């Protein structure tokens, strides 16, 4: 209830996340991070989302700035990640401008859906690079973009997060006006990784998709378990038939619980294959990356299907705020808006399966 009312995570939960360093899953041990193996991280995301989707969402989203920090120079990475209690947030929407001013960038812009921005010490925002007042081009008709780390106190949060699903993430708009950021606090994947080990080589975006899938499995499993609990007491008001005696309900529980189990095993297997390759210094193949994309989307679909089916089977009980099915239904449909689960990634996975190349430049990043 506190999460729903405040539209952000309660302080006690945030304190627990800081103490456990769960928002540093993808930070090296040398910087007091967990440097967690990717399959183990899936279990973390699923467990948190099972309890509260907004908590899982914040922890999962913190992984992206941590992963991308491998493109910083080591000294800048040490500076930005030196405090193990710091949290991070960001936006991959290129709605800011980074104007070249000598050896710094002047940052202006507004970004929406900046998850957990109220909790973050640093924001990582995507900007279009400008030089002499016009966008600098990386290729014909392709503006150069760059991620910029901006410290707390150098941006304004605009209260826009009036929503239903994922209400506790506090995903407000953020505005930056004329802030000067040293070049060392900016990054581009084009510059190459400066970090050794699996964290420096692991494909980032497909692994983020896998983490998304794990969260969907958590929300879906919570929905199934909630309906199982309902069957112990609920009786239909019109027919007087107990929920546990209704054939469609029994069929749905078995079908979706099994689908979640199967999707979980497949997701973990494909991510483990990818992780094993990075630990042995091998360059992951496009086929292995495509498998992770497909497994993440499959898990997301299984989670959504489970939530929708359990919500329907719960009848009027699903409408009430004190029923976990009500929140699961809102949360899973909010989660589905994220770019990482959109169909075009699967289209690229199929292109690879057919012997071609992906069309999206971030498919294998």
């Amino acid at each position: 209830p506190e999460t729903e009312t405040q539209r952000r995570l309660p302080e006690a939960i945030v304190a627990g996340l800081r103490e456990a360093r769960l928002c540093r899953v993808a930070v090296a041990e040398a910087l007091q991070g967990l440097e967690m193996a990717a399959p183990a991280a899936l279990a973390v995301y699923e467990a948190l989302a099972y309890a509260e989707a907004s908590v899982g969402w914040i922890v999962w989203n913190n992984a992206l700035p941590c992963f991308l920090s491998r493109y910083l120079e080591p000294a800048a990475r040490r500076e930005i990640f030196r405090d193990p209690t710091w949290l991070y947030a960001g936006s991959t929407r290129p709605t800011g401008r980074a104007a070249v001013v000598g050896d710094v960038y002047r940052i202006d812009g507004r970004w929406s859906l900046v998850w957990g921005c109220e909790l973050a010490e640093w924001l990582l925002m995507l900007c279009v690079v400008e030089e002499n007042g016009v966008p600098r081009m990386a290729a014909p008709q392709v503006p150069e973009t760059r991620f910029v780390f901006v410290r707390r106190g150098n941006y304004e949060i605009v209260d826009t997060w009036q929503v239903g699903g994922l209400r506790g993430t506090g995903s407000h708009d953020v505005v930056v006006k004329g802030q000067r950021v040293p070049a060392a606090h900016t990054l581009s994947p084009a510059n190459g990784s400066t970090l050794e080990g699996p964290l420096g080589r692991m494909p980032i975006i497909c692994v983020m998709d896998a983490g998304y899938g794990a969260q969907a499995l958590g929300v879906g499993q919570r929905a199934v378990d909630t309906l199982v609990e309902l069957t112990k007491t609920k009786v239909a008001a019109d027919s007087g038939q107990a929920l546990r005696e209704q054939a469609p309900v029994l069929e749905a529980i078995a079908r979706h619980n099994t689908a979640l189990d199967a999707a979980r095993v497949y997701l973990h297997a494909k991510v483990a294959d990818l992780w094993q390759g990075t630990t042995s210094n091998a360059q992951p193949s496009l086929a292995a990356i495509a498998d992770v994309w497909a497994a993440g989307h499959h898990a997301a679909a299984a989670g959504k299907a489970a939530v929708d089916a359990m919500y329907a089977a719960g009848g009027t009980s699903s409408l009430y705020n004190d029923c976990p099915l009500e929140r699961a239904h809102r949360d899973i449909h909010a989660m589905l808006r994220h770019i990482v689960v959109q169909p075009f990634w699967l289209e690229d996975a199929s292109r690879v399966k057919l012997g071609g190349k992906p069309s999206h430049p971030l498919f294998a990043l």
Side-chain angles (χ1 to χ4, degrees):
E2 188 178 347
T3 299
E4 294 284 291
T5 301
Q6 294 185 356
R7 295 174 296 128
R8 61 180 293 177
L9 302 189
E11 286 302 321
I13 291 178
V14 177
L17 295 179
R18 296 185 197 276
E19 182 179 359
R21 294 179 292 160
L22 289 179
C23 292
R24 299 172 77 83
V25 161
V27 175
E29 289 181 350
L31 291 174
Q32 303 179 73
L34 296 182
E35 199 168 339
M36 189 176 288
L42 298 181
V44 170
Y45 301 142
E46 180 174 353
L48 293 175
Y50 180 96
E52 164 65 271
S54 289
V55 180
W57 197 256
I58 292 294
V59 170
W60 171 69
N61 273 290
N62 263 261
L64 183 59
C66 298
F67 270 129
L68 288 172
S69 72
R70 74 190 190 190
Y71 300 112
L72 292 170
E73 289 301 320
R77 188 164 52 244
R78 287 193 297 270
E79 177 184 355
I80 294 172
F81 290 86
R82 69 174 183 267
D83 189 327
T85 68
W86 284 349
L87 272 60
Y88 303 85
S91 174
T92 58
R93 299 181 175 208
T95 53
R97 303 186 309 279
V100 178
V101 183
D103 58 353
V104 303
Y105 291 93
R106 188 184 68 246
I107 310 302
D108 293 274
R110 178 167 179 158
W111 295 262
S112 59
L113 299 169
V114 186
W115 29 262
C117 55
E118 297 168 300
L119 309 175
E121 185 66 28
W122 294 86
L123 300 183
L124 183 63
M125 320 302 284
L126 187 59
C127 298
V128 174
V129 177
E130 290 188 352
E131 195 167 26
N132 300 320
V134 297
R136 194 160 67 186
M137 307 305 288
Q141 299 184 4
V142 180
E144 178 182 339
T145 57
R146 199 162 187 86
F147 284 99
V148 178
F149 274 104
V150 182
R151 186 80 181 269
R152 176 191 289 273
N154 295 322
Y155 51 83
E156 173 191 356
I157 295 174
V158 184
D159 189 338
T160 54
W161 194 239
Q162 306 285 343
V163 297
L166 296 177
R167 189 177 296 166
T169 60
S171 303
H172 302 289
D173 284 15
V174 167
V175 176
V176 178
K177 297 179 179 178
Q179 291 296 323
R180 291 176 175 256
V181 174
H185 288 179
T186 74
L187 63 89
S188 169
N191 296 144
S193 175
T194 63
L195 187 64
E196 297 294 327
L199 285 182
R201 295 188 294 270
M202 190 72 175
I204 295 174
I205 310 302
C206 70
V207 169
M208 292 298 296
D209 175 60
Y212 173 99
Q215 293 175 89
L217 292 174
V219 178
Q221 192 66 58
R222 179 61 179 273
V224 171
D225 292 351
T226 298
L227 188 66
V228 169
E229 285 298 310
L230 273 178
T231 63
K232 298 177 180 179
T233 57
K234 185 175 175 65
V235 176
D238 51 356
S239 66
Q241 186 182 29
L243 195 64
R244 65 180 176 270
E245 296 172 353
Q246 297 178 23
V249 171
L250 297 174
E251 186 270 345
I253 290 172
R255 178 183 299 277
H256 289 284
N257 195 67
T258 302
L260 292 171
D261 284 347
R264 183 180 299 111
V265 170
Y266 186 71
L267 178 66
H268 280 252
K270 291 305 176 181
V271 171
D273 287 346
L274 196 67
W275 178 258
Q276 183 60 40
T278 61
T279 58
S280 60
N281 295 323
Q283 183 68 26
S285 67
L286 277 178
I289 293 170
D291 283 348
V292 172
W293 275 113
H297 277 62
H298 178 66
K304 176 189 180 296
V307 171
D308 286 347
M310 300 304 107
Y311 183 87
T316 55
S317 298
S318 302
L319 300 175
Y320 289 88
N321 290 337
D322 61 355
C323 179
L325 288 172
E326 189 274 338
R327 192 180 70 220
H329 193 260
R330 285 189 285 115
D331 286 340
I332 199 73
H333 283 274
M335 292 166 67
L336 288 167
R337 308 280 80 78
H338 198 281
I339 190 173
V340 81
V341 77
Q342 299 312 306
F344 61 80
W345 300 108
L346 276 185
E347 294 169 16
D348 267 353
S350 290
R351 289 186 179 98
V352 172
K353 190 72 172 177
L354 297 175
K357 294 183 178 180
S359 61
H360 199 288
L362 299 183
F363 182 84
L365 175 66

